[in-house]
Amino acid sequence: MDPAASGTLTAESFSLIALFLRADWVVKAVMIGLGLASLFSWAVIIDKLLRFSALNRHADRFEDQVSSGRSLEEIANEAGERPRHALPRMLQAALREWREARTKGLSSDTQAGFLIQRIDRVQDAIIAREASRVEEGLPLLAIVATASPFIGLFGTVWGIMGAFQAIAIQQNTNLTVVAPAIAEALFATAIGLAAAIPAYIAYNKFSSDAARYSGRLEGFADDLATAIQRRLSDRT
């Protein structure tokens, strides 16, 4: 029996489970949708935390290897034929262009300039693909962060409409009539905010992390171009 109808309200009447079970199908649908959105956003958050941590650890190790004084060819060979991470792929691409150009001959400054341009284009393509990969999931966080409060507000408005309907039908403004429906309505808003706030914070953090990682790749590409230019100058 509905506790509001019987006139007996207890603390258990306002538990989260009771509020959900007592809500009508529209408010329930809003709550379930917001709960799923929050679940998906947390899956993205955990994935991004682990992924950026792994990417930065590997980048630190690889940059230490490159700056250790060992030959770039040796480091590239140790990375294997198909490295998973972007930095060794960038190194292998630059060395591949260097070897092809050296095989064909670098008899003029123009050819050397074309080599640097080709290397820059290859590096830019790798950086663009890697940036796209690390930004996967961020649009979902943006959608959850912006849409969840409004969806929760819709559930609240619908629930308050139900409260006014109960007042009109029962012709009773007693809190036992109004309070449960209002609590259910506000619960929808609370779920919307609970879904939106972590998604908003995570979106801003991971957007900054992605931008910093892309900047790190661009800096590494500049270092590779400088190393190739140094080799070209040593040949002249």
Side-chain angles (χ1 to χ4, degrees):
M1 179 181 295
D2 191 342
S6 64
T8 59
L9 290 175
T10 63
E12 288 74 16
S13 302
F14 294 92
S15 68
L16 301 183
I17 296 177
L19 291 176
F20 174 77
L21 294 177
R22 206 166 49 235
D24 70 4
W25 67 272
V26 174
V27 180
K28 281 182 180 177
V30 169
M31 293 178 181
I32 292 173
L34 291 173
L36 292 175
S38 179
L39 181 64
F40 287 135
S41 67
W42 274 107
V44 172
I45 290 170
I46 294 173
D47 174 71
K48 290 301 177 188
L49 285 173
L50 298 176
R51 179 173 297 188
F52 278 115
S53 178
L55 288 174
N56 286 314
R57 282 198 308 269
H58 182 274
D60 290 337
R61 291 196 300 267
F62 194 78
E63 287 179 344
D64 289 341
Q65 291 178 346
V66 172
S67 61
S68 64
R70 298 166 56 194
S71 69
L72 297 180
E73 284 79 5
E74 180 182 354
I75 297 173
N77 290 333
E78 289 182 357
E81 294 183 359
R82 295 182 178 179
R84 293 175 49 197
H85 295 276
L87 295 185
R89 290 204 306 271
M90 294 169 66
L91 175 59
Q92 290 181 349
L95 292 177
R96 185 164 54 250
E97 294 293 334
W98 159 256
R99 287 192 296 267
E100 291 179 0
R102 188 178 59 181
T103 300
K104 296 177 181 179
L106 294 170
S107 58
S108 66
D109 293 338
T110 301
Q111 291 177 330
F114 287 154
L115 169 61
I116 298 300
Q117 291 179 4
R118 289 198 304 272
I119 291 175
D120 287 340
R121 287 195 296 269
V122 170
Q123 303 297 332
D124 289 343
I126 295 175
I127 293 172
R129 287 194 296 269
E130 187 67 14
S132 177
R133 189 173 70 86
V134 299
E135 290 174 0
E136 290 176 355
L138 295 186
L140 173 63
L141 293 180
I143 292 172
V144 172
T146 55
S148 293
F150 296 102
I151 297 174
L153 182 60
F154 169 75
T156 297
V157 172
W158 188 273
I160 291 176
M161 289 170 57
F164 283 119
Q165 289 176 358
I167 292 174
I169 293 172
Q170 300 185 27
Q171 297 181 355
N172 186 355
T173 59
N174 194 293
L175 282 179
T176 59
V177 176
V178 181
I182 292 179
E184 297 158 15
L186 294 177
F187 186 36
T189 296
I191 295 178
L193 293 175
I197 292 173
Y200 177 79
I201 295 173
Y203 175 78
N204 285 281
K205 169 182 167 45
F206 294 136
S207 294
S208 299
D209 291 345
R212 283 196 297 270
Y213 186 69
S214 296
R216 187 172 193 174
L217 297 183
E218 291 173 357
F220 187 74
D222 292 338
D223 292 340
L224 288 178
T226 301
I228 298 299
Q229 288 174 341
R230 189 178 298 115
R231 292 188 175 190
L232 291 173
S233 62
D234 291 341
R235 289 172 59 88
T236 58

